Amino acid sequence: MATDENRKKVTVGRVYAISTLLAVIIAIPAVTVTLIMHYVIRTDFFITLTAGLITLFIAMGFGYKLSKKFARVPGGQSNT
């Protein structure tokens, strides 16, 4: 019975770990695309900016869907 209660608890460490993972999932693709477009392909500033923003919004959508899965607590109810 104690293991069921431990699984239902949301710890601060778990929240920090999931938040960090989501931040990395959102930020790394946008930064990578921006750096590659600017330094490797050597495109214009506005094209680089546009490609970075498009990548950021796609990554944010993916992060949103992934956060719904992380928000579920096993055995408990979630708000989604």
Side-chain angles (χ1 to χ4, degrees):
M1 195 63 140
T3 57
D4 290 336
E5 289 180 12
N6 289 339
R7 277 193 279 164
K8 290 182 183 180
K9 289 184 182 179
V10 178
T11 62
V12 175
R14 179 173 163 83
V15 171
Y16 286 152
I18 291 174
S19 300
T20 303
L21 178 65
L22 287 173
V24 166
I25 288 172
I26 292 171
I28 294 297
V31 171
T32 304
V33 166
T34 303
L35 289 175
I36 288 174
M37 293 287 287
H38 186 71
Y39 289 113
V40 176
I41 301 175
R42 302 227 184 251
T43 59
D44 193 30
F45 175 73
F46 290 110
I47 295 172
T48 302
L49 184 67
T50 304
L53 286 174
I54 290 170
T55 307
L56 181 65
F57 282 113
I58 291 170
M60 285 172 53
F62 180 70
Y64 178 72
K65 288 186 178 206
L66 196 59
S67 69
K68 281 185 173 181
K69 292 181 183 179
F70 285 146
R72 293 193 184 118
V73 178
Q77 293 182 358
S78 63
N79 293 334
T80 58

